[in-house]
Amino acid sequence: MQTVSENKCFGGIQGVYSHASDACGCDMTFGLFLPEEAQDGPVPVLWYLSGLTCTHENAMVKAGAQAWAAEYGVALVFPDTSPRGEGVANDEAYDLGQGAGFYVNATEKPWAPHFRMWDYVAEELPRIVTANFAVDEARQGITGHSMGGHGALTMAMRLPGRFRSVSAFAPIAHPTQSDWGRKQLSAYLGADEGAWAQHDATLLMRRLGFDGPVLIDQGSKDQFLDLLKPEALAQAMAERRQNATFRMQPGYDHSYFFVSSFIRDHVAFHAEALYR
C-alpha cells in the first residue's frame, strides 16, 4: 500500500492510498478519514459508496462528511467505483465500464477479468483497511449515493451481521426494472435475470430485509427519478415493516448539493447505531 496524500482535517487525517488489488487485477485508490480519536484506538467506520462517473475523490471533497465524522468519532472510507488503468475494459458511455462498476462481480467478457467490485468492496478493501488503520471491524455502517446507494443497500442486506446501519442518498432502488440497471447488469452478468436479482435493493428488501435501521433520502426534483424508482423501494419497506425512514426532500435534485445538505443527518444516524 502506498500513501498518495495525508492532510490534517478537523483534528483528524484525510488520507488517500493506493494498492495492488487482487480482486480487480489492477491498482486501486481509496480515501480514508480517521478522526482524532483513532490515535487512542480503533473507531467505528462508515463506508461511503459513490455513484456513476465518480472516483474515490468526489464524496471525499464534495460531501462535507469529515466535519461530522470528526464530531461523532467515526472513520470514513471512500472506495473507487471501478477498476481503472491500461488493459481495463471501458465503454464510450458514461454509465458502463470505468466509473460504473455497479458493485457486482462481472462474469461476462470483456468485463470479467477486472470488474469484481463486489469482492473488492465487501472483502478485499475491508481487510486492507482493518489491517493497516485503527478502525473497528465490529462496528461498521454503510451509505452511498445513486449507484453507490444501490451498492450500500445490496451489501447491507446480503452480508447479514456485517453492518449495524445502512443509509442511501437517491439510490438506484430497482435496477432490474430500470435502464440504470438492466443495461449494466446484462452487460456484466449476462442475460439470466435471476443473477440480477441479487443486486436489486427492492427485491432484496422483499426477500431479506435488513436487521437494523435504514435511512433513505430522495430529492423530489431529482432529474433521474424515473430511473431510480424510489417508490418501489418505499413500498417494499412498508410491506416488510422494515425499521426504516424514507424522506422525500422537497426541491432537491441529484447533485452533491443535495448530499451535502443532509450528510450530517446520515453520519449522526450511523453514529447512533455504531456507538449503541
Side-chain angles (χ1 to χ4, degrees), residues 5 16 29-31 50 54-63 66 78-81 84 256:
S5 62
V16 176
T29 302
F30 67 95
S50 290
C54 291
T55 70
H56 69 281
E57 190 175 38
N58 293 72
M60 188 181 83
V61 173
K62 295 180 179 180
Q66 293 91 339
F78 304 100
D80 203 347
T81 57
R84 300 179 190 273
Y256 265 93

Short mmCIF file of all heavy atoms in Angstrom, two decimals, residues 5 16 29-31 50 54-63 66 78-81 84 256:
data_model
loop_
_atom_site.label_atom_id
_atom_site.label_comp_id
_atom_site.label_asym_id
_atom_site.label_seq_id
_atom_site.Cartn_x
_atom_site.Cartn_y
_atom_site.Cartn_z
N SER A 5 -1.49 10.78 -0.31
CA SER A 5 -1.50 12.06 0.39
C SER A 5 -2.11 11.86 1.76
O SER A 5 -2.89 10.94 1.99
CB SER A 5 -2.31 13.12 -0.38
OG SER A 5 -3.67 12.72 -0.50
N VAL A 16 -5.28 9.52 1.32
CA VAL A 16 -5.57 8.83 0.06
C VAL A 16 -4.46 7.80 -0.13
O VAL A 16 -3.27 8.11 0.02
CB VAL A 16 -5.62 9.80 -1.13
CG1 VAL A 16 -5.83 9.04 -2.44
CG2 VAL A 16 -6.71 10.83 -0.94
N THR A 29 -7.37 2.87 -5.77
CA THR A 29 -7.15 4.01 -4.87
C THR A 29 -8.37 4.21 -4.00
O THR A 29 -9.50 4.04 -4.47
CB THR A 29 -6.88 5.29 -5.69
OG1 THR A 29 -5.74 5.07 -6.54
CG2 THR A 29 -6.59 6.48 -4.78
N PHE A 30 -8.16 4.55 -2.74
CA PHE A 30 -9.28 4.84 -1.84
C PHE A 30 -8.92 5.99 -0.91
O PHE A 30 -7.75 6.27 -0.65
CB PHE A 30 -9.68 3.61 -1.02
CG PHE A 30 -8.65 3.14 -0.02
CD1 PHE A 30 -8.71 3.54 1.31
CD2 PHE A 30 -7.63 2.28 -0.40
CE1 PHE A 30 -7.77 3.11 2.24
CE2 PHE A 30 -6.68 1.84 0.53
CZ PHE A 30 -6.75 2.25 1.84
N GLY A 31 -9.96 6.67 -0.42
CA GLY A 31 -9.78 7.70 0.58
C GLY A 31 -10.19 7.18 1.95
O GLY A 31 -11.08 6.33 2.06
N SER A 50 -19.76 5.65 -3.86
CA SER A 50 -20.12 6.73 -4.77
C SER A 50 -20.86 6.24 -6.00
O SER A 50 -20.96 5.04 -6.25
CB SER A 50 -18.86 7.50 -5.18
OG SER A 50 -18.33 8.23 -4.09
N CYS A 54 -18.01 8.71 -10.74
CA CYS A 54 -17.21 9.18 -9.61
C CYS A 54 -15.95 8.35 -9.42
O CYS A 54 -15.86 7.19 -9.84
CB CYS A 54 -18.03 9.15 -8.32
SG CYS A 54 -19.36 10.35 -8.28
N THR A 55 -14.98 8.94 -8.75
CA THR A 55 -13.82 8.23 -8.21
C THR A 55 -13.94 8.27 -6.68
O THR A 55 -14.96 8.68 -6.14
CB THR A 55 -12.51 8.88 -8.65
OG1 THR A 55 -12.39 10.16 -7.99
CG2 THR A 55 -12.47 9.10 -10.16
N HIS A 56 -12.86 7.87 -6.00
CA HIS A 56 -12.82 7.99 -4.54
C HIS A 56 -12.95 9.44 -4.10
O HIS A 56 -13.32 9.73 -2.95
CB HIS A 56 -11.50 7.44 -4.01
CG HIS A 56 -10.33 8.30 -4.40
ND1 HIS A 56 -9.76 8.26 -5.65
CD2 HIS A 56 -9.66 9.27 -3.72
CE1 HIS A 56 -8.78 9.15 -5.74
NE2 HIS A 56 -8.70 9.77 -4.57
N GLU A 57 -12.63 10.38 -5.01
CA GLU A 57 -12.43 11.77 -4.61
C GLU A 57 -13.73 12.57 -4.50
O GLU A 57 -13.81 13.52 -3.70
CB GLU A 57 -11.50 12.46 -5.61
CG GLU A 57 -11.03 13.82 -5.19
CD GLU A 57 -10.01 14.40 -6.15
OE1 GLU A 57 -10.16 14.21 -7.37
OE2 GLU A 57 -9.07 15.06 -5.67
N ASN A 58 -14.76 12.21 -5.27
CA ASN A 58 -15.95 13.06 -5.33
C ASN A 58 -16.57 13.31 -3.96
O ASN A 58 -16.74 14.44 -3.52
CB ASN A 58 -16.98 12.45 -6.27
CG ASN A 58 -16.51 12.45 -7.71
OD1 ASN A 58 -15.61 11.68 -8.06
ND2 ASN A 58 -17.08 13.29 -8.55
N ALA A 59 -16.95 12.24 -3.28
CA ALA A 59 -17.57 12.39 -1.96
C ALA A 59 -16.57 12.92 -0.95
O ALA A 59 -16.94 13.70 -0.05
CB ALA A 59 -18.15 11.07 -1.49
N MET A 60 -15.33 12.52 -1.06
CA MET A 60 -14.29 12.96 -0.13
C MET A 60 -14.17 14.48 -0.14
O MET A 60 -13.97 15.12 0.90
CB MET A 60 -12.96 12.31 -0.53
CG MET A 60 -11.83 12.51 0.43
SD MET A 60 -10.31 11.72 -0.17
CE MET A 60 -9.69 12.99 -1.27
N VAL A 61 -14.34 15.09 -1.32
CA VAL A 61 -14.17 16.54 -1.47
C VAL A 61 -15.49 17.29 -1.36
O VAL A 61 -15.56 18.38 -0.79
CB VAL A 61 -13.49 16.85 -2.82
CG1 VAL A 61 -13.46 18.35 -3.08
CG2 VAL A 61 -12.08 16.27 -2.85
N LYS A 62 -16.59 16.71 -1.87
CA LYS A 62 -17.84 17.46 -2.04
C LYS A 62 -18.89 17.24 -0.96
O LYS A 62 -19.76 18.08 -0.77
CB LYS A 62 -18.47 17.11 -3.39
CG LYS A 62 -17.65 17.54 -4.59
CD LYS A 62 -18.38 17.15 -5.87
CE LYS A 62 -17.62 17.57 -7.11
NZ LYS A 62 -18.35 17.18 -8.36
N ALA A 63 -18.86 16.09 -0.28
CA ALA A 63 -19.97 15.77 0.62
C ALA A 63 -19.92 16.52 1.94
O ALA A 63 -20.95 16.71 2.59
CB ALA A 63 -20.01 14.26 0.89
N GLN A 66 -16.53 14.94 6.57
CA GLN A 66 -15.47 14.83 7.57
C GLN A 66 -15.77 15.63 8.83
O GLN A 66 -15.43 15.19 9.94
CB GLN A 66 -14.12 15.28 6.98
CG GLN A 66 -13.58 14.39 5.89
CD GLN A 66 -14.01 14.78 4.50
OE1 GLN A 66 -15.02 15.48 4.33
NE2 GLN A 66 -13.27 14.36 3.49
N PHE A 78 -13.77 5.91 1.52
CA PHE A 78 -14.28 6.29 0.21
C PHE A 78 -13.62 5.42 -0.86
O PHE A 78 -12.58 5.78 -1.40
CB PHE A 78 -13.96 7.77 -0.08
CG PHE A 78 -14.48 8.74 0.94
CD1 PHE A 78 -13.62 9.25 1.91
CD2 PHE A 78 -15.79 9.17 0.93
CE1 PHE A 78 -14.07 10.18 2.84
CE2 PHE A 78 -16.26 10.09 1.86
CZ PHE A 78 -15.40 10.59 2.82
N PRO A 79 -14.20 4.27 -1.20
CA PRO A 79 -13.62 3.45 -2.27
C PRO A 79 -13.85 4.09 -3.64
O PRO A 79 -14.71 4.95 -3.82
CB PRO A 79 -14.40 2.13 -2.18
CG PRO A 79 -15.15 2.19 -0.88
CD PRO A 79 -15.37 3.64 -0.59
N ASP A 80 -13.09 3.63 -4.62
CA ASP A 80 -13.35 3.99 -6.01
C ASP A 80 -14.58 3.21 -6.50
O ASP A 80 -15.04 2.26 -5.84
CB ASP A 80 -12.13 3.68 -6.88
CG ASP A 80 -12.10 4.50 -8.17
OD1 ASP A 80 -13.14 5.12 -8.52
OD2 ASP A 80 -11.05 4.51 -8.84
N THR A 81 -15.09 3.58 -7.67
CA THR A 81 -16.31 2.96 -8.19
C THR A 81 -16.05 1.86 -9.21
O THR A 81 -17.00 1.21 -9.65
CB THR A 81 -17.20 4.02 -8.85
OG1 THR A 81 -16.45 4.67 -9.88
CG2 THR A 81 -17.67 5.04 -7.82
N ARG A 84 -9.51 0.58 -12.88
CA ARG A 84 -9.06 1.58 -13.85
C ARG A 84 -7.67 1.23 -14.34
O ARG A 84 -6.96 0.44 -13.73
CB ARG A 84 -9.02 2.98 -13.22
CG ARG A 84 -10.37 3.46 -12.71
CD ARG A 84 -10.29 4.83 -12.08
NE ARG A 84 -11.53 5.16 -11.39
CZ ARG A 84 -12.58 5.72 -11.96
NH1 ARG A 84 -12.54 6.05 -13.24
NH2 ARG A 84 -13.68 5.98 -11.26
N TYR A 256 -24.43 16.77 -5.59
CA TYR A 256 -23.80 16.78 -4.28
C TYR A 256 -24.26 17.95 -3.42
O TYR A 256 -24.00 17.96 -2.21
CB TYR A 256 -22.27 16.76 -4.41
CG TYR A 256 -21.75 15.35 -4.31
CD1 TYR A 256 -21.54 14.57 -5.44
CD2 TYR A 256 -21.52 14.76 -3.07
CE1 TYR A 256 -21.10 13.27 -5.34
CE2 TYR A 256 -21.08 13.46 -2.95
CZ TYR A 256 -20.88 12.72 -4.10
OH TYR A 256 -20.45 11.42 -3.99
#
